[in-house]
Amino acid sequence: MSDKISTPQAATGLTPSGRRAPAPAVAAAAAVEPFTIDVPESDLLDLRRRLEQTRWPDELPDGGWDYGVPLTYVRSLVDYWQSGYDWRDQEKIFNDYPQFLTTIDGQRIHFLHIRSPREDALPLLLLHGWPGSIAEFLDVIGPLCDPTAHGGSAADAFHLVIPSLPGFGFSGPTHDKGWDVARTARAFAELMERLGYERYGVQGGDMGALIGPELAHADPEHVAGVHLNAATVGFIPWGEVPESELASFTDVEKGRLDKLKGFMANGNAYFNIQASRPQMIGYALTDSPVGQLTWIVDRMAAWVHGPIDEEALSPDRILTNVMFYWLTRTATSSARMYYENMHAQPNWGRSRPRVPVGVAAFAEDIAIRRYGEQGLDITHWSDFDDGGHFAAMERPQLLITDMRSFFDSVR
C-alpha cells in the first residue's frame, strides 16, 4: 500500500534535541509500551463463519444506490472478503511500523510513532475521523517522514504520531462518559508531551478536523499550526443563510452550501442515530460483519469523489478500514463520540486561539472559509476540484503538497 521507511522506535526515556523529558514523578503512570497487532485466529474464524451465514435482505430491482448500498455490490465485496482478502497481509503492513500503547485519562491509546531520519523534523499529529482509521494514512507516511526518498525536500520532513481515536480501533472501547472532541484533544496534548515534543503540528480530517482546533485551544503554547481537511462544524452556517449574505457568496461557496443542504436532507441518518442512540446501532454492527461493512461503505461511497472504485478506494483499503472496527468491537464506542459531542457543554464565546490554521477543501468538502474565520486564525486555504472526504487515501499527493505548503509557514 505504501513505501516503508526504517526508523528507530521511540523509547520513553530518550530525549533527542528539541524534545521534552517526561517528568520522573509520572513515569510509571505515563508508561509507553511497544505494541504489535496479533489478532487471534479464533476471531478470524468467527468472522468467516458469520460471513458464511449472512442473512441477505431483498432489494428493489431498480433501486440503485438511492436506497442504500446495493445488494450486488455488497455480495461482490463480501465474496472478496471471504476468498481473496488476507487480514494477515494487512496486519504485517501495520506491524512494519513502530506501534505503542499508553493510558491517558484512564483510556488506552494506541498509536504509530514514526521518527523521520531527519532529527530536526517537525513532529506532526495525524488524526482520522469516522468512519476512518489509521489505515487512511498508509500512503502519506513515507513521503511525510522521508521526503527525499519520495522526490521531496529534506526540509519538509515530519516525525509522525498517528493515534487511533479513543473508542476507535486498537485504542479499544471507551469506558466512561465524556469522550468528546475536547477531552480527546486534551488527551492528545498529553500524549505529545509524554513523547517529549516541545512544538508540534496537527493535521486532521472529519472528526480530526474537530479535534485539531480543540488542540489549538487546549495547547496553544506547543501547537505550531493546524491543517484540516473534510472540515464541517465551525466551517458551515447554522440554519438558513440570509439572502443578503448569500448574495456575496462565490460560486464555490454556493456549491458547498448546496452540498450541505443535500447532506442534511438525505445523508445524515447515520449522524442522527449515532448522536442519539449509539447503543442501538452498536448491537447490529457488533453482531453482523456485513452490517458493519455496509454502515461504513454507505458513507465512503457518498463522500468519495466520483465512483467508489479501484482508483479511489480499493477493496483491500475498504475492508482493512472495516476490520479496524470489527476486530476491536468499537462500532458502539466510536458512535458514542457523536453522542458525547452533541451532549457536551457549549463553549460559545471562547477567544480565538492564536494558532495558524490551514485548510484543504477538496471537491466533496463543504467547508466555507468565511465561517471558519469567525473562530480560527486561518492563514492558508486551498480549494480543489478533485478529491473527497478520504483525501489521504484518494489523493495523497494533493494532500501532502498542501500540508507542506502550510507547514512551511510555521516551522
Side-chain angles (χ1 to χ4, degrees):
M1 279 189 180
S2 65
D3 296 331
K4 306 299 183 298
I5 60 173
S6 177
T7 57
Q9 295 195 6
T12 306
L14 298 180
T15 56
S17 176
R19 301 174 67 196
R20 292 180 287 194
V26 298
V32 175
E33 301 176 353
F35 175 74
T36 299
I37 300 174
D38 186 16
V39 171
E41 188 64 25
S42 59
D43 286 359
L44 301 180
L45 291 173
D46 175 69
L47 170 61
R48 188 172 300 117
R49 177 185 62 79
R50 289 172 184 268
L51 291 174
E52 290 171 352
Q53 297 179 359
T54 299
R55 293 181 61 190
W56 295 101
D58 72 314
E59 70 171 350
L60 296 175
D62 56 351
W65 286 83
D66 292 341
Y67 290 77
V69 189
L71 183 58
T72 52
Y73 178 86
V74 180
R75 279 187 175 274
S76 175
L77 197 52
V78 169
D79 181 64
Y80 178 70
W81 204 355
Q82 292 176 286
S83 61
Y85 177 80
D86 191 331
W87 166 254
R88 295 303 184 194
D89 286 347
Q90 304 301 313
E91 198 175 65
K92 185 179 184 303
I93 290 172
F94 290 96
N95 286 337
D96 282 347
Y97 294 115
Q99 298 177 71
F100 301 88
L101 295 178
T102 193
T103 299
I104 298 175
D105 194 9
Q107 171 64 34
R108 168 167 137 159
I109 302 292
H110 162 253
F111 62 99
L112 276 61
H113 186 192
I114 308 162
R115 296 275 298 172
S116 171
R118 180 165 175 144
E119 183 58 39
D120 64 349
L122 178 67
L124 181 66
L125 187 63
L126 277 178
L127 303 176
H128 67 83
W130 185 95
S133 67
I134 61 171
E136 291 184 47
F137 300 116
L138 288 174
D139 283 345
V140 304
I141 289 174
L144 291 177
C145 277
D146 193 5
T148 57
H150 297 80
S153 167
D156 291 325
F158 296 93
H159 301 305
L160 296 180
V161 179
I162 312 176
S164 297
L165 302 188
F168 290 68
F170 289 96
S171 287
T174 48
H175 302 291
D176 59 342
K177 296 179 180 180
W179 277 101
D180 60 2
V181 294
R183 185 175 178 183
T184 300
R186 294 192 296 271
F188 287 159
E190 170 63 24
L191 174 63
M192 297 304 278
E193 180 177 7
R194 189 167 295 184
L195 295 176
Y197 289 126
E198 182 66 34
R199 188 171 183 268
Y200 61 93
V202 181
Q203 201 289 324
D206 187 80
M207 200 74 77
L210 298 178
I211 298 167
E214 285 296 330
L215 269 157
H217 284 284
D219 199 20
E221 298 85 359
H222 303 112
V223 176
V226 176
H227 184 272
L228 309 173
N229 68 288
T232 54
V233 177
F235 290 83
I236 56 177
W238 292 110
E240 289 294 321
V241 178
E243 285 296 328
S244 58
E245 183 176 344
L246 190 59
S248 67
F249 269 37
T250 66
D251 288 343
V252 169
E253 290 174 326
K254 289 176 181 177
R256 299 248 167 89
L257 185 61
D258 287 342
K259 285 183 183 295
L260 174 60
K261 290 178 178 178
F263 169 77
M264 297 302 293
N266 298 304
N268 71 337
Y270 81 95
F271 182 97
N272 289 327
I273 292 174
Q274 296 191 160
S276 61
R277 288 293 185 271
Q279 190 69 27
M280 304 314 296
I281 195 62
Y283 290 118
L285 303 188
T286 304
D287 188 60
S288 168
V290 173
Q292 178 70 89
L293 171 69
T294 54
W295 192 247
I296 287 177
V297 167
D298 178 65
R299 290 300 88 204
M300 297 185 97
W303 294 338
V304 72
H305 185 56
I308 184 169
D309 56 19
E310 285 280 350
E311 182 180 0
L313 299 173
S314 70
D316 276 351
R317 291 174 183 272
I318 293 169
L319 291 172
T320 297
N321 187 64
V322 170
M323 290 287 269
F324 267 79
Y325 289 83
W326 175 259
L327 294 173
T328 60
R329 303 186 185 189
T330 51
T332 313
S333 54
S334 60
R336 276 200 298 265
M337 183 172 274
Y338 284 81
Y339 182 95
E340 301 296 352
N341 288 339
M342 291 301 291
H343 292 80
Q345 290 294 320
N347 51 26
W348 308 116
R350 291 190 297 181
S351 60
R352 178 184 303 192
R354 297 172 66 180
V355 174
V357 174
V359 178
F362 290 89
E364 296 301 318
D365 290 343
I366 58 175
I368 297 175
R369 180 167 186 166
R370 66 178 68 200
Y371 298 112
E373 288 179 334
Q374 293 175 6
L376 297 170
D377 182 16
I378 297 177
T379 61
H380 171 98
W381 187 284
S382 299
D383 288 312
F384 296 100
D385 58 7
D386 195 6
H389 189 87
F390 304 95
M393 289 195 287
E394 295 178 61
R395 298 293 182 267
Q397 192 55 51
L398 275 182
L399 180 64
I400 290 167
T401 300
D402 200 71
M403 290 170 60
R404 287 173 176 169
S405 177
F406 169 70
F407 283 111
D408 279 350
S409 68
V410 301
R411 285 180 181 269

